[in-house]
Amino acid sequence: MTDSKYFTTTKKGEIFELKAELNSDKKEKKKEAVKKVIASMTVGKDVSALFPDVVNCMQTDNLELKKLVYLYLMNYAKSQPDMAIMAVNTFVKDCEDPNPLIRALAVRTMGCIRVDKITEYLCEPLRKCLKDEDPYVRKTAAVCVAKLHDINAQLVEDQGFLDTLKDLISDSNPMVVANAVAALSEIAESHPNSNLLDLNPQTINKLLTALNECTEWGQIFILDCLANYTPRDDRESQSICERVTPRLSHANSAVVLSAVKVLMKFMEMLPKDLDYYGTLLKKLAPPLVTLLSAEPELQYVALRNINLIVQRRPEILKHEMKVFFVKYNDPIYVKLEKLDIMIRLASQANIAQVLAELKEYATEVDVDFVRKAVRAIGRCAIKVEQSAERCVSTLLDLIQTKVNYVVQEAIVVIKDIFRKYPNKYESVIATLCENLDSLDEPEARAAMIWIVGEYAERIDNADELLESFLEGFHDESTQVQLQLLTAIVKLFLKKPTETQELVQQVLSLATQDSDNPDLRDRGYIYWRLLSTDPVAAKEVVLAEKPLISEETDLIEPTLLEELICHIGTLASVYHKPPSAFVEGSRGVQHKRLPGSAGSGESVESPDTGSAAGVSDAPPAVIPSQGDLLGDLLNLDLTPPATTGPPPPATSGMQLGAMDLLGGGLDSLLGGDLGGSSAMGAGFGAPPAAPAASFSAPVSGGLDDLFDLGGGVGMPMGAYSPPKTVWLPAMKGKGLEISGTFARRAGVIQMEMTLTNKAMSVMTDFAIQFNRNSFGLAPAGPLQVLTPLSPNQSIEVTLPLNTVGPVMKMDPLNNLQVAVKNNIDVFYFSCQYPISMLFVEDGKMERQVFLATWKDISNDNEAQFQIKDCHLSSDAASNKLQGSNIFTIAKRTVDGQDMLYQSTKLSNGIWVLAELRVQTGNPTFTVSLAQQTVWSNHCSDCAANY
Amino acid sequence: MISQLFILSSKGDHLIYKDYRGEAGSDVIDVFYEKVTALTGDQPPVVMVTHHKDLHFVHIRQGGLYWVATTTADSSPFSIIEFLNRLSGLVKDYCGSLSEKAVQMNFALIYELLDEVLDYGYVQMTSSDVLKNFIQSEAVSSKPFSLFDLSNVGLFGAETQQNKVAPSSAATRPIQSSRDPGGKSEIFVDVIEKMSVVIGSNGVLMKADIEGEVRVKCYMPSCSEMRIGLNEEFSVGKSQLRGYGAAVRVDECSFHQSVQLDEFHSHRILRLCPSQGEHAVMQYRLSDELPSAPPFRLFPSVERDSAGRLLMYLKLRCDLPPKRSVSLLPEGAGLSQELSSPDQSAELQLQNRTVFWKIPRFCGGTQLSALFKLDVPGLSSASMLEVGPVGLSFELPKWTGTGLQIRFLRLSPIHPGPSQRWVRYVTHSDSYIIRI
């Protein structure tokens, strides 16, 4: 007897028959009857009427029958909640059965009965099962917590199941651990802010240990969970990578891909020059290639993911081009994906091979595939310049076949090639024109018309060709109409004499006879342009067009970053962020890649760049001052106009000090300028006194010094402000430069982070300074040896000297910089801290100091107060020495320590200071004096002190 | 996580339906079937249905059936597909074969399986070894199984029916029936290689890949340990060469997680405790650098005769050692034929614009030729470009492209009573293309 007969009984009295059988005394008969019921259920018949009869069969010791009854219960309990209560007693009893299979079965089934009333009966048995001695029961119970949470989250929290679940992460059985992790991950997702799955190095370690022991499916849960963790530093991320790497050779491709996700994410943290980084890159290629020998369904998903990986890190697969060659028996969806990746990997090295393949594909049978192959040839031409000529000749060969869709597709891509390499391949136009009549697709017609218009002066019969299109103007699609309008206007501007009539005709067709607003508007614009100023019209219509580049089809970098975090999930298959297709009930968090230690700022926050851009920008305020103050006072000032870029997290320790002094300086500057409240408010108005502008740079230096004084445990050496963004990527065509200055071992250094946010590789970097106040100039070339690939950052240190040409800048410490790369030259300005210029031999002889101090006229003196500086005079003196401000003498008068200090600027100007420190009073008083009159401005400057 | 799982016949009949998370109703089955059959040709395995915005279908086709899972969250289609493949494998192991009928007959068993392999949409276990502790139902087989049903033509063609070769149907039976005391304890080790080759129009080998696997099908009720010895010269990666014989090299290989590799590095021995059912114990891949020349070469000439007909003269040579025979099925583009021997046949399929040339048997070291004359309306010199390529599909028994051999197969402890061990080799064409 076979089970298939259950599906064939469709008689009318069936339900009654079944009822009778279910109530039969014979076990075998009962079982057969329940099977029939389940069979009917599967094919969609309503057998809910049998609920009480089926539930009556529940109390049996036959496990097979019990399972069938439970299966029925799960399906119908929801529609019969009151009846479902009848079953509760049996469930509770089963949960204490000596047979672990029955205990687990009962817990599993109860969780699936989504009836509120049942849940309260479930709590006690579940609590017991979570602590069951049998791991099979425990792992079932762990999942049951997630089920219960879905039905009644509050209940789960009140009953303390979450804590029990957390304990299960340390269970001895890896299956239990895996299920606990899965359940916790799911619960945590619905509470985005809870700290349920507290990932810390200890739990991570536990998970990594469990990883080696659990089943392949458990490994997937654990790896996915690991991917959400952010390691503290590159060391930790390397050690996690090392322990995850063995998973790459797993036979289950889902494990492999989850491992790839973890590695791709944590790799971001590793410094690129690390040996391990290179090793890791090499290890990633073979498993990805192996994925392509799996079933076509898996290949498809793998290819969609590889497409992302190749865009992010092309170096991984650059030598594996051949595996993406299409096999003739691949399903079409695999073929199309492979083509896409082939183009992404195409380079000068392999282009010959790729082209040969593409040419073969272009003669295959499948139309979609052929079209895409032809298009791919065009994309290769645009991507690899050296191959353009061969691509064009390949396309011409294909046009010769006269296969209609091949010709049309070829013309569309040849148009793109013209746009990339203007005035290079016009010789082929004649061939294209031969095929004019066979074009019936709008895209191809539009492309052809564009070509004719663009090169009208070289096509003798351009007017005839365009006129022929004009005949059926109203039957064309909008795309073609617009293109035809533009082409004829172009033609007219190039050959005005013989085409006047034609242009009149098209303009009236477009403006009077058309009801398409786009077309009408464009027609009117051309008409008015032509009638008012033909010369201007020529400039507008025949303007040089920007070249197109292959990047247009790449995924936008921020989206790509997010998608990389979702490798292996649906998002990576759709190439859409999860928020686009998962509805909001579960919190969807945007994931980002972690930044590497050095370039954290540049990777993480494009906002920072724009903020800095803003503070550079406002021209009404004295910009440099605003900037500097932002710099000095840093977090203390909140108004956006003067807020400096938020400092990177690494400088957290210095901030406290900044803050303290910021407050002090703020008030002292305010006082200096006659209590202008505008100071505190962020320099909303330009300060009236011209001299004021010089207070900023100098006291900037001061602030920096004292900042150092406040910083606890800083290494000795000149203070170096945190990096700020000098050149935002928006202005730098994708190049972002952030940097700072430092004085290290007597050498002034400019430390920069160059980040490539564009999509093409940057090379040939060079740097130049404009003339400046202190004659700063690069002491060597900019050391960027390797090309900077997209999304890569590089740290550069440029030694400076002070022997360059001098020109007084406003403000004094302003520096204008030009950076050149293969794309363009970019200009930006930045300010350096004055303290950087204090030289090491700035210690004056006591006698000389005394004499000089007296010499300096009162005009050249200034006084400041620095508040809230809790340092003893000795400590202050030590700290200042680190910045080449030397204490010459110290006196104590009336409980006040007076420090006499000197420092020398790189251009030989001495600055003398008297620092009064009242013990117990956090306010320092500084008197500054400057010796020589170097320029009017310097004396101004001194006066300001 | 998987929300629902269902199995449909190719006609859209509901065979199995199980809802794990109660997130959507069973009406989605029909939505899916409509969607997947709406377009001609194969559908990608991941489908989003727009009017169920947060429901995604992931499906595979196995045994003529749709195996479909739905999910609502952004879960991994990879693990779902891998799981569906595994599930169909399990169903095949338990029911003996994979067909609409087999699934219908064993629905209770399959529901039981589904209950164990997934819980709340999370995959729990898929190893038949562990599962057998939990599964109560017995499989129902459609026909009584007979091992010595030799009327069945073997997997490798008629000539391979020697006494040492098991019929291919031997391995299609439910694993649980081996509980019967009368059941034979047998073990099959298959080395299966898939070859994909591209030979350029100038006769140069452009690409040659071999993907291979060692599969074990185990019908032993209890088997504690098995040792499979591979060629001593077997090496992985580019650098290492072992032994003095002809090197057997693969680029990369991966193993099933149950395989112990402690003797692999020194003696090329795989040690494992096979669980019942079918498993790929080892998978390997070799790109380019094949140890031997590709088995088939084609010498084509395509021209236009004075009457405007397309002439295709194909000469096919088999470079295998003599006394091997294969059956193959080359296909080319285009239409009257003159074949070199009578048992071949050729057929023109206008729809795909293809000529099929069937060669039932092909001896190593010999050469076959065919002349096709096709009347093509409007034949131009440009359309000559469209002729080709020639694809070959074939099955080569007892031959592996990499040269991988099983030296020995040892079971310990020695199983009491009769037990049979079978080792089989076969190379399939995956995509064997010769360009014209």
mmCIF file of all heavy atoms in Angstrom, chain A residues 268 272 311-315 550-551 554 557 560 734 755-762 787-793:
data_model
loop_
_atom_site.group_PDB
_atom_site.id
_atom_site.type_symbol
_atom_site.label_atom_id
_atom_site.label_comp_id
_atom_site.label_asym_id
_atom_site.label_seq_id
_atom_site.Cartn_x
_atom_site.Cartn_y
_atom_site.Cartn_z
ATOM 1 N N GLU A 268 39.268 45.703 6.106
ATOM 2 C CA GLU A 268 39.321 47.162 6.062
ATOM 3 C C GLU A 268 40.179 47.714 7.193
ATOM 4 O O GLU A 268 40.720 48.805 7.097
ATOM 5 C CB GLU A 268 37.910 47.738 6.200
ATOM 6 C CG GLU A 268 36.973 47.351 5.095
ATOM 7 C CD GLU A 268 37.279 48.065 3.803
ATOM 8 O OE1 GLU A 268 37.785 49.189 3.866
ATOM 9 O OE2 GLU A 268 37.041 47.478 2.738
ATOM 10 N N LYS A 272 47.501 48.286 4.877
ATOM 11 C CA LYS A 272 47.719 47.667 3.572
ATOM 12 C C LYS A 272 49.142 47.133 3.398
ATOM 13 O O LYS A 272 49.391 46.260 2.596
ATOM 14 C CB LYS A 272 47.479 48.685 2.451
ATOM 15 C CG LYS A 272 46.155 49.386 2.530
ATOM 16 C CD LYS A 272 45.179 48.776 1.565
ATOM 17 C CE LYS A 272 43.828 49.445 1.635
ATOM 18 N NZ LYS A 272 43.186 49.442 2.948
ATOM 19 N N GLN A 311 34.303 45.023 -7.544
ATOM 20 C CA GLN A 311 34.295 46.484 -7.574
ATOM 21 C C GLN A 311 35.035 47.075 -6.392
ATOM 22 O O GLN A 311 35.652 48.122 -6.488
ATOM 23 C CB GLN A 311 32.851 47.001 -7.559
ATOM 24 C CG GLN A 311 32.182 46.779 -8.877
ATOM 25 C CD GLN A 311 30.806 47.397 -8.895
ATOM 26 O OE1 GLN A 311 30.611 48.557 -8.608
ATOM 27 N NE2 GLN A 311 29.821 46.602 -9.241
ATOM 28 N N ARG A 312 34.950 46.368 -5.267
ATOM 29 C CA ARG A 312 35.598 46.883 -4.072
ATOM 30 C C ARG A 312 37.099 46.573 -4.121
ATOM 31 O O ARG A 312 37.917 47.408 -3.813
ATOM 32 C CB ARG A 312 34.939 46.243 -2.846
ATOM 33 C CG ARG A 312 35.557 46.621 -1.524
ATOM 34 C CD ARG A 312 35.068 47.964 -1.066
ATOM 35 N NE ARG A 312 35.840 48.407 0.094
ATOM 36 C CZ ARG A 312 35.773 49.629 0.588
ATOM 37 N NH1 ARG A 312 34.978 50.510 0.034
ATOM 38 N NH2 ARG A 312 36.491 49.963 1.619
ATOM 39 N N ARG A 313 37.441 45.354 -4.429
ATOM 40 C CA ARG A 313 38.848 44.965 -4.431
ATOM 41 C C ARG A 313 39.180 44.175 -5.690
ATOM 42 O O ARG A 313 39.259 42.953 -5.678
ATOM 43 C CB ARG A 313 39.166 44.088 -3.211
ATOM 44 C CG ARG A 313 38.923 44.802 -1.910
ATOM 45 C CD ARG A 313 39.593 44.123 -0.743
ATOM 46 N NE ARG A 313 39.316 44.842 0.470
ATOM 47 C CZ ARG A 313 39.971 45.938 0.827
ATOM 48 N NH1 ARG A 313 40.947 46.397 0.088
ATOM 49 N NH2 ARG A 313 39.651 46.560 1.937
ATOM 50 N N PRO A 314 39.375 44.884 -6.787
ATOM 51 C CA PRO A 314 39.615 44.186 -8.055
ATOM 52 C C PRO A 314 40.864 43.307 -8.007
ATOM 53 O O PRO A 314 40.963 42.332 -8.761
ATOM 54 C CB PRO A 314 39.789 45.321 -9.071
ATOM 55 C CG PRO A 314 39.838 46.573 -8.292
ATOM 56 C CD PRO A 314 39.403 46.324 -6.903
ATOM 57 N N GLU A 315 41.790 43.613 -7.119
ATOM 58 C CA GLU A 315 43.044 42.871 -7.121
ATOM 59 C C GLU A 315 42.845 41.394 -6.778
ATOM 60 O O GLU A 315 43.654 40.557 -7.148
ATOM 61 C CB GLU A 315 44.058 43.523 -6.183
ATOM 62 C CG GLU A 315 43.681 43.571 -4.702
ATOM 63 C CD GLU A 315 42.903 44.829 -4.331
ATOM 64 O OE1 GLU A 315 42.198 45.379 -5.207
ATOM 65 O OE2 GLU A 315 42.994 45.268 -3.164
ATOM 66 N N GLU A 550 34.078 54.820 -18.021
ATOM 67 C CA GLU A 550 33.455 53.530 -17.756
ATOM 68 C C GLU A 550 32.829 53.485 -16.373
ATOM 69 O O GLU A 550 32.086 52.591 -16.061
ATOM 70 C CB GLU A 550 34.474 52.411 -17.919
ATOM 71 C CG GLU A 550 35.724 52.572 -17.083
ATOM 72 C CD GLU A 550 35.761 51.670 -15.873
ATOM 73 O OE1 GLU A 550 34.916 50.783 -15.806
ATOM 74 O OE2 GLU A 550 36.607 51.883 -15.017
ATOM 75 N N GLU A 551 33.144 54.479 -15.526
ATOM 76 C CA GLU A 551 32.650 54.410 -14.148
ATOM 77 C C GLU A 551 31.142 54.544 -14.067
ATOM 78 O O GLU A 551 30.561 54.280 -13.043
ATOM 79 C CB GLU A 551 33.268 55.512 -13.291
ATOM 80 C CG GLU A 551 34.639 55.191 -12.787
ATOM 81 C CD GLU A 551 35.701 55.678 -13.737
ATOM 82 O OE1 GLU A 551 35.461 56.699 -14.395
ATOM 83 O OE2 GLU A 551 36.747 55.042 -13.832
ATOM 84 N N LEU A 554 29.322 51.731 -12.494
ATOM 85 C CA LEU A 554 29.730 51.176 -11.210
ATOM 86 C C LEU A 554 28.698 51.539 -10.146
ATOM 87 O O LEU A 554 27.978 52.520 -10.274
ATOM 88 C CB LEU A 554 31.088 51.735 -10.796
ATOM 89 C CG LEU A 554 32.260 51.296 -11.651
ATOM 90 C CD1 LEU A 554 33.531 51.952 -11.156
ATOM 91 C CD2 LEU A 554 32.409 49.790 -11.609
ATOM 92 N N PRO A 557 29.946 54.380 -4.394
ATOM 93 C CA PRO A 557 30.816 53.836 -3.340
ATOM 94 C C PRO A 557 30.144 53.624 -1.984
ATOM 95 O O PRO A 557 30.380 52.604 -1.351
ATOM 96 C CB PRO A 557 31.927 54.875 -3.218
ATOM 97 C CG PRO A 557 31.906 55.638 -4.468
ATOM 98 C CD PRO A 557 30.541 55.550 -5.042
ATOM 99 N N LEU A 560 28.042 50.665 -2.226
ATOM 100 C CA LEU A 560 28.908 49.495 -2.344
ATOM 101 C C LEU A 560 29.410 49.083 -0.972
ATOM 102 O O LEU A 560 29.395 47.902 -0.616
ATOM 103 C CB LEU A 560 30.073 49.816 -3.271
ATOM 104 C CG LEU A 560 31.040 48.677 -3.532
ATOM 105 C CD1 LEU A 560 30.338 47.521 -4.202
ATOM 106 C CD2 LEU A 560 32.200 49.138 -4.396
ATOM 107 N N GLY A 734 37.417 64.249 -6.226
ATOM 108 C CA GLY A 734 37.539 62.940 -5.614
ATOM 109 C C GLY A 734 38.747 62.774 -4.726
ATOM 110 O O GLY A 734 38.823 61.842 -3.945
ATOM 111 N N THR A 755 43.222 60.695 0.347
ATOM 112 C CA THR A 755 42.216 59.654 0.151
ATOM 113 C C THR A 755 41.628 59.800 -1.233
ATOM 114 O O THR A 755 41.236 60.888 -1.626
ATOM 115 C CB THR A 755 41.091 59.784 1.187
ATOM 116 O OG1 THR A 755 41.693 59.850 2.463
ATOM 117 C CG2 THR A 755 40.169 58.600 1.120
ATOM 118 N N ASN A 756 41.581 58.683 -1.911
ATOM 119 C CA ASN A 756 40.999 58.702 -3.258
ATOM 120 C C ASN A 756 39.536 58.319 -3.157
ATOM 121 O O ASN A 756 39.198 57.165 -2.919
ATOM 122 C CB ASN A 756 41.755 57.710 -4.135
ATOM 123 C CG ASN A 756 41.227 57.698 -5.554
ATOM 124 O OD1 ASN A 756 40.230 58.357 -5.854
ATOM 125 N ND2 ASN A 756 41.893 56.965 -6.421
ATOM 126 N N LYS A 757 38.666 59.282 -3.321
ATOM 127 C CA LYS A 757 37.236 58.967 -3.264
ATOM 128 C C LYS A 757 36.632 58.923 -4.653
ATOM 129 O O LYS A 757 35.426 58.791 -4.804
ATOM 130 C CB LYS A 757 36.506 59.989 -2.404
ATOM 131 C CG LYS A 757 36.969 59.928 -0.970
ATOM 132 C CD LYS A 757 35.958 60.509 -0.047
ATOM 133 C CE LYS A 757 36.244 60.063 1.380
ATOM 134 N NZ LYS A 757 35.299 60.605 2.310
ATOM 135 N N ALA A 758 37.470 59.042 -5.611
ATOM 136 C CA ALA A 758 36.958 58.935 -6.974
ATOM 137 C C ALA A 758 36.984 57.463 -7.363
ATOM 138 O O ALA A 758 37.338 56.606 -6.576
ATOM 139 C CB ALA A 758 37.839 59.731 -7.919
ATOM 140 N N MET A 759 36.629 57.186 -8.585
ATOM 141 C CA MET A 759 36.554 55.789 -8.955
ATOM 142 C C MET A 759 37.686 55.371 -9.871
ATOM 143 O O MET A 759 37.716 54.249 -10.335
ATOM 144 C CB MET A 759 35.199 55.480 -9.561
ATOM 145 C CG MET A 759 34.200 55.257 -8.458
ATOM 146 S SD MET A 759 32.530 55.193 -9.015
ATOM 147 C CE MET A 759 32.281 56.807 -9.584
ATOM 148 N N SER A 760 38.587 56.276 -10.136
ATOM 149 C CA SER A 760 39.710 55.844 -10.953
ATOM 150 C C SER A 760 40.990 56.015 -10.151
ATOM 151 O O SER A 760 41.032 56.687 -9.135
ATOM 152 C CB SER A 760 39.761 56.694 -12.222
ATOM 153 O OG SER A 760 39.797 58.043 -11.882
ATOM 154 N N VAL A 761 42.003 55.382 -10.616
ATOM 155 C CA VAL A 761 43.277 55.379 -9.920
ATOM 156 C C VAL A 761 43.932 56.754 -10.082
ATOM 157 O O VAL A 761 43.840 57.381 -11.131
ATOM 158 C CB VAL A 761 44.173 54.289 -10.513
ATOM 159 C CG1 VAL A 761 45.539 54.319 -9.878
ATOM 160 C CG2 VAL A 761 43.512 52.949 -10.332
ATOM 161 N N MET A 762 44.587 57.227 -9.025
ATOM 162 C CA MET A 762 45.281 58.507 -9.103
ATOM 163 C C MET A 762 46.784 58.263 -9.037
ATOM 164 O O MET A 762 47.257 57.445 -8.262
ATOM 165 C CB MET A 762 44.872 59.397 -7.948
ATOM 166 C CG MET A 762 43.410 59.804 -8.009
ATOM 167 S SD MET A 762 43.006 60.887 -6.668
ATOM 168 C CE MET A 762 41.318 61.288 -7.077
ATOM 169 N N PRO A 787 50.389 54.052 -7.196
ATOM 170 C CA PRO A 787 49.150 54.732 -7.593
ATOM 171 C C PRO A 787 48.105 54.535 -6.500
ATOM 172 O O PRO A 787 48.073 53.496 -5.851
ATOM 173 C CB PRO A 787 48.724 54.001 -8.871
ATOM 174 C CG PRO A 787 49.906 53.244 -9.316
ATOM 175 C CD PRO A 787 50.777 53.005 -8.132
ATOM 176 N N LEU A 788 47.298 55.526 -6.324
ATOM 177 C CA LEU A 788 46.285 55.490 -5.279
ATOM 178 C C LEU A 788 44.997 54.956 -5.888
ATOM 179 O O LEU A 788 44.374 55.613 -6.705
ATOM 180 C CB LEU A 788 46.100 56.914 -4.760
ATOM 181 C CG LEU A 788 45.401 57.098 -3.419
ATOM 182 C CD1 LEU A 788 46.113 56.337 -2.336
ATOM 183 C CD2 LEU A 788 45.352 58.575 -3.070
ATOM 184 N N SER A 789 44.636 53.734 -5.498
ATOM 185 C CA SER A 789 43.440 53.162 -6.127
ATOM 186 C C SER A 789 42.198 53.661 -5.403
ATOM 187 O O SER A 789 42.281 54.171 -4.298
ATOM 188 C CB SER A 789 43.530 51.641 -6.110
ATOM 189 O OG SER A 789 43.900 51.211 -4.853
ATOM 190 N N PRO A 790 41.036 53.494 -6.016
ATOM 191 C CA PRO A 790 39.811 54.036 -5.446
ATOM 192 C C PRO A 790 39.597 53.576 -4.018
ATOM 193 O O PRO A 790 39.866 52.426 -3.688
ATOM 194 C CB PRO A 790 38.733 53.479 -6.373
ATOM 195 C CG PRO A 790 39.417 53.279 -7.650
ATOM 196 C CD PRO A 790 40.829 52.938 -7.342
ATOM 197 N N ASN A 791 39.148 54.507 -3.201
ATOM 198 C CA ASN A 791 38.857 54.260 -1.799
ATOM 199 C C ASN A 791 40.067 53.903 -0.962
ATOM 200 O O ASN A 791 39.939 53.402 0.129
ATOM 201 C CB ASN A 791 37.809 53.158 -1.643
ATOM 202 C CG ASN A 791 36.446 53.754 -1.658
ATOM 203 O OD1 ASN A 791 36.232 54.805 -1.063
ATOM 204 N ND2 ASN A 791 35.542 53.119 -2.360
ATOM 205 N N GLN A 792 41.226 54.157 -1.489
ATOM 206 C CA GLN A 792 42.413 53.880 -0.722
ATOM 207 C C GLN A 792 42.879 55.181 -0.093
ATOM 208 O O GLN A 792 42.652 56.262 -0.622
ATOM 209 C CB GLN A 792 43.477 53.318 -1.652
ATOM 210 C CG GLN A 792 44.597 52.634 -0.942
ATOM 211 C CD GLN A 792 45.729 52.342 -1.909
ATOM 212 O OE1 GLN A 792 45.556 52.405 -3.113
ATOM 213 N NE2 GLN A 792 46.890 52.066 -1.384
ATOM 214 N N SER A 793 43.525 55.066 1.065
ATOM 215 C CA SER A 793 44.098 56.247 1.691
ATOM 216 C C SER A 793 45.579 56.028 1.837
ATOM 217 O O SER A 793 46.036 54.900 1.954
ATOM 218 C CB SER A 793 43.530 56.439 3.083
ATOM 219 O OG SER A 793 42.205 56.775 3.000
#
